Amino acid sequence: MTSPFSGAAGTVVTLTGTGFTGATAVVFGGTPSASFTVVSPTEITTVAPTGAGAVQIAVTTPGGTSNAIGFTYTIATPAISSVTPNQGSVEGGNTVILTGTDFTGATSVRFGTVAAAFLAVSATQATAVAPAGPPGTVDGTITTPGGTSAGIPYTYVAVPVLSSVTPAQGPLVGGNSITLSGTGFTGTTSVRFGANAASSFTFVSATQLTAVVSTGGPGPVAVTVTTPGGTSTQAVPYYYLAAPVISGITAGSGPVSGGVPVTLTGANFLQTTAVRFGVNSATPYTIFSATEIRTVSPPGVAGTVPVTVTTPGGTSNGAAYVYLGAPVVAGLVPNQGPLAGGTTLTLTGVGLTYATAVLFGAVPIGFTVVSDTQLTTTAPPGVAGSVIIRVITPGGTSVGVPYTRLGPPGI
């Protein structure tokens, strides 16, 4: 006898009888079972192979083939336990794996009311290509001769739309954060700058993302957002900009009070956002071209500071600018001489390097800068009496020191 007398393919069937030792085959209506076990000379368990309708089961041993006993195939209604992935683009075309039971003999797979191309891989698995569909959730079903399964949710997701990126430019090295605005960002799986994935991104809402820009450029690239609904197709550019470079500066020094016209030459000056002298901003500034900027030095403190230009591409190298305090003359040797002049004078003090003039009274005279603390000059002829000697630099004019012209002695 057999138990049970009916069932679907895959049903475990128990056969009882005699002479089962050494059984070599169990056949269901001409189809061998792929699996059977001789439990004893009087019992065999086996698994029903694929079949349909009423069939006869027979056992074969080295002693021959047994009489046959009836078994009726019943077809179970298929059941879907999962779909992977459970969402996709409204454009369709993605492959979906359906897992469940009783898929044998499947005749159709549907997403909502729309039939899909499919392949029944086994009694427990089928693959399907999702057809196009409107945004929203539909039931995925599979149909076999045993009926149609209950539906399992599959969600159609609209293709994301990217409308803007802010800011839309930055340095070649990346690392800056930008904001992406648009629609359909839920479930975002990647943000790309051209072919390069963003260093990272953060989902803010269905209409906004933030992303850290990857390395790239120079030049424009297309920014794209990918979700289960697909990849955005709008041409939204992001510009990689080379950092500015300063190659020259005129003038290179001026008073701590500022106000000196300065011209910077170099490259990549377009879109300049700041010109700085050390930590102090120079305003206003004028961008004459990609290679020239003109500005006026802001007030500062005595010493050398770097002048830099900043654009969305980064901050330039620093060009040296020297803030000069007024020079100080502390000593004069000798401090007197003949009316005929010609005496070599040595002035000592601080800040003499940038001397532009030495005044003997109101008269400018020649001079030689020896160091920041010393310069020499020659006394001109003049009338007897005291005159004031002053040193002028871009930082200002020193306090004067007296020099006395002496007439010859008389007897």
Side-chain angles (χ1 to χ4, degrees):
M1 63 175 294
T2 181
S3 176
F5 292 101
S6 63
T11 299
V12 176
V13 177
T14 299
L15 303 172
T16 57
T18 60
F20 291 161
T21 300
T24 57
V26 177
V27 178
F28 285 66
T31 302
S33 171
S35 174
F36 66 90
T37 301
V38 179
V39 179
S40 71
T42 61
E43 183 179 328
I44 289 178
T45 59
T46 186
V47 177
T50 300
V55 298
Q56 297 294 308
I57 305 174
V59 176
T60 299
T61 70
T65 298
S66 71
N67 59 308
I69 191 167
F71 180 85
T72 300
Y73 277 98
T74 59
I75 304 175
T77 301
I80 302 174
S81 57
S82 67
V83 295
T84 305
N86 62 1
Q87 57 185 355
S89 172
V90 293
E91 298 174 345
N94 54 304
T95 298
V96 177
I97 298 174
L98 297 86
T99 303
T101 58
D102 300 306
F103 291 173
T104 302
T107 56
S108 74
V109 172
R110 290 182 178 274
F111 289 73
T113 60
V114 182
F118 75 95
L119 173 65
V121 178
S122 68
T124 60
Q125 188 178 97
T127 60
V129 178
T137 301
V138 299
D139 283 335
T141 58
I142 188 168
T143 299
T144 72
T148 298
S149 70
I152 191 165
Y154 178 86
T155 302
Y156 280 103
V157 181
V159 178
V161 175
L162 178 62
S163 57
S164 67
V165 296
T166 306
Q169 55 195 2
L172 303 182
V173 296
N176 52 308
S177 182
I178 69 167
T179 298
L180 297 85
S181 299
T183 60
F185 292 165
T186 300
T188 294
T189 55
S190 78
V191 174
R192 288 187 174 273
F193 294 81
N196 298 325
S199 298
S200 64
F201 68 89
T202 301
F203 174 81
V204 179
S205 70
T207 60
Q208 189 176 98
L209 302 169
T210 60
V212 176
V213 181
S214 52
T215 301
V221 296
V223 183
T224 57
V225 175
T226 299
T227 73
T231 298
S232 61
T233 58
Q234 293 71 28
V236 178
Y238 177 86
Y239 292 86
Y240 282 100
L241 303 177
V245 177
I246 298 176
S247 57
I249 179 172
T250 58
S253 62
V256 293
S257 59
V260 175
V262 175
T263 297
L264 303 172
T265 55
N268 306 322
F269 290 164
L270 296 180
Q271 303 184 63
T272 291
T273 56
V275 177
R276 291 186 175 86
F277 285 64
V279 297
N280 299 320
S281 295
T283 54
Y285 56 85
T286 301
I287 305 169
F288 273 79
S289 69
T291 60
E292 183 177 331
I293 291 177
R294 297 179 188 177
T295 188
V296 175
S297 63
V301 296
T304 300
V305 297
V307 179
T308 57
V309 173
T310 299
T311 73
T315 297
S316 71
N317 57 303
Y321 182 85
V322 181
Y323 278 105
L324 302 171
V328 175
V329 176
L332 173 64
V333 178
N335 61 4
Q336 58 185 6
L339 302 180
T343 302
T344 297
L345 307 178
T346 299
L347 291 86
T348 56
V350 178
L352 306 181
T353 297
Y354 295 92
T356 56
V358 174
L359 298 180
F360 207 95
V363 178
I365 57 176
F367 63 92
T368 299
V369 174
V370 178
S371 69
D372 190 64
T373 60
Q374 186 180 98
L375 62 77
T376 60
T377 186
T378 301
V383 297
S386 178
V387 296
I388 299 299
I389 301 176
R390 297 184 300 277
V391 175
I392 299 174
T393 72
T397 301
S398 70
V399 174
V401 291
Y403 176 81
T404 302
R405 290 191 183 97
L406 301 174
I411 298 176

